[in-house]
Amino acid sequence: MAYDPENVFAKIARGEIPSRKVVETEHSLAFHDIRPQAPIHVLVIPKGPYQDFESFAARASAEEIVDWVRAAGRAAREVGAVEGGFRVLANSGTDAHQEVPHLHLHIFAGGDLGPMIGLRRRG
Ligand code: AMP
């Protein structure tokens, strides 16, 4: 599927939609999730046109990848998530219920985050 440049995170990256910014670098942006699912919930996106984790891993430059990972670490520190601990998660594709078709890393923190993943049982 082709990347949709009109998705909401592409608009945030271009500054066309406001966000509560945490960290901005040359290639990445971290901002607070609009519907937080933990006391602290931040999203970290590359500014480039990458739909999901796999396309970013396959096509992004080494500079973009390093920038995104470092921006995520800086964002975690900026919101005070490092001391108590935090979780990172990137939903990719249908089975993971990815809603926005632009790569984003969730950072959850601010209290006990419970079990790692809620898997639906078969049968
Ligand atoms: P995912 O299901 O992994 O694609 O997660 C998409 C996330 O984007 C959800 O947690 C939404 O609350 C969040 N979200 C959607 N629109 C916005 C927005 N305009 N600003 C900040 N977060 C948003």
Side-chain angles (χ1 to χ4, degrees):
M1 199 167 59
Y3 176 79
D4 171 15
E6 296 308 315
N7 77 76
V8 64
F9 291 170
K11 290 181 176 176
I12 286 176
R14 293 195 296 265
E16 295 167 9
I17 289 180
S19 66
R20 283 179 56 214
K21 197 185 296 182
V22 175
V23 164
E24 181 164 15
T25 64
E26 183 180 359
H27 297 295
S28 310
L29 182 65
F31 52 95
H32 290 277
D33 195 291
I34 206 166
R35 287 185 297 274
Q37 295 184 45
I40 296 169
H41 185 175
V42 169
L43 303 172
V44 189
I45 62 168
K47 292 180 178 175
Y50 303 105
Q51 182 163 320
D52 57 19
F53 189 90
E54 189 280 332
S55 64
F56 184 69
R59 295 195 292 103
S61 67
E63 194 184 341
E64 287 175 298
I65 293 170
V66 168
D67 185 277
W68 184 67
V69 174
R70 290 217 199 280
R74 273 182 57 195
R77 184 163 292 286
E78 186 67 31
V79 296
V82 173
E83 290 71 20
F86 61 95
R87 178 172 294 153
V88 294
L89 175 89
N91 292 318
S92 273
T94 308
D95 283 355
H97 297 252
Q98 181 181 2
E99 286 174 17
V100 179
H102 182 113
L103 172 62
H104 48 285
L105 190 72
H106 295 261
I107 300 176
F108 301 106
D112 187 339
L113 297 168
M116 185 164 70
I117 190 169
L119 276 180
R120 195 182 291 167
R121 293 191 187 283
R122 290 165 190 261

